[in-house]
Amino acid sequence: MNLARRMRSIPPYLFAELDRKRAALRAKGVDVINLGIGDPDLPTPPHIIDALAAAARDPATHAYPPYEGTREFRQAVAGWYGRRFGVTLDPDREVLALIGSKEGLAHIPWVFVDPGDPVLVSDPGYPVYAVATLMAEGEPVPVPLDPARGWLPDLSAIPDAIARRARVFFLNYPNNPTGATADLAFFEDVVAFARRWDILVVHDNTYSEIAYEGYRPPSFLQAPGAMEVGIEFHSLSKTYCMTGWRLGFAVGNREAVQALATLKTNIDSGQFTAIQVAGCAALTGPQDAVRERVARWERRRNMAVEGLRAAGLDVPMPKATFYLWIPVPPGFDSVGFAAHLLEHAGVVVTPGIGYGTRGSGYIRISLTAPDERIAEAIQRIGDRLGVPAPRALR
Ligand SMILES: *Cc1c(COP(=O)(O)O)cnc(C)c1O
């Protein structure tokens, strides 16, 4: 069987060896704690589940949904953007429902990228941006996020020759995996850059609601001029603990939103209407459940940062996201340190290299496991690792 060339362009799966080790440890009866995946362990708030249950019983929800999403859902999204960010959106032209934001992010290069076109992809970054670019036969060009700039890219370091030909620029703040945040001043610089080179900015704002100590991350669309150059992707997955429900949305520049809608009309038939009804309940209903969940992640963050620092790791305190992005101790690379933690502490973390070459000196820990499992993982790391002196462990 011959796979298409574009399938062969998918980067090799880097974690096969780690997966093998994890399976072997489990088979030996080791209690392995998974802090590797960014999937909330807390349940979807009950009023959202109730809305789905009631809507699923209504036969009106059983037919194909409107391609662009139900009018009610698009209005709920526009209302939420207005209340949350002060951004005005036309629900009929500037809002599109998605089957999870990943679906939209994966399709956007099909709409804007011709074979060989450069696409600017933050490094480290969510792997979908580069892979989706490859599927469209574009050329992902890594844009280094600079730790010295709080993991923002230096836009002036992007070569003119690349910027001139680039079609799309993928950005994501609050950022997975680094936990970094961006302010409006940075987004204004991005707007100027995008205008200068006529590039579509694709901003992934999945984590705008997962932020701590009262910090409220902005929308890219709040930057003056952003509606001319940008499209923002958002999701109910992380905010409302709805990863399994598959509901997201794209908002912003109407030409970009409508072009994505045209593509989607030809390949999918939208998300189940009852799930969109539940999405309306999430966006328009009480937000206490979001505050409670964020407070929980904040307590976990504080506990984990303190515990891991006591264990000798140099752990930055993230202002947003449920990730800790931790430089590996001297003598390790990211895969080696992840393997070390797995072998000696039975703890699964994600090697930073999975997010791009700039991630090679880091691991990512996700705080989406139950409190007592995170506490146990930190206890084990402290007891058994004695970092940063890895040799003393043996
Ligand atoms: C989780 C995640 C997504 C995907 O969200 P879905 O709506 O569940 O598809 C997109 N971007 C980033 C950065 C994520 O971490």
Side-chain angles (χ1 to χ4, degrees), residues 38 99-103 105 126 129 172 176 204 206-207 234-238 243 246-248 323:
I99 309 170
S101 65
K102 183 178 182 181
E103 177 262 302
L105 290 163
Y126 187 55
Y129 314 142
N172 161 227
N176 174 11
D204 180 353
T206 295
Y207 292 97
H234 218 301
S235 170
L236 281 78
S237 288
K238 314 288 162 64
T243 47
R246 312 311 305 135
L247 189 58
Y323 304 114

Side-chain angles (χ1 to χ4, degrees), residues 8-9 52 115 125 127 166 176 205-206 215 225 274 280 300 311 323 347 361 368:
R8 285 179 251 141
S9 71
L52 169 73
N176 174 11
N205 207 2
T206 295
Y215 172 63
C280 293
R300 288 179 183 171
Y323 304 114
V347 175
T368 53

Side-chain angles (χ1 to χ4, degrees), residues 133-158:
T133 299
L134 291 170
M135 289 296 101
E137 299 176 34
E139 186 202 326
V141 176
V143 175
L145 305 188
D146 181 358
R149 294 168 174 262
W151 296 100
L152 298 177
D154 179 359
L155 301 176
S156 68
I158 299 170

Side-chain angles (χ1 to χ4, degrees), residues 250-261:
V251 296
N253 181 273
R254 64 179 61 189
E255 239 183 289
V257 168
Q258 291 310 312
L260 180 58

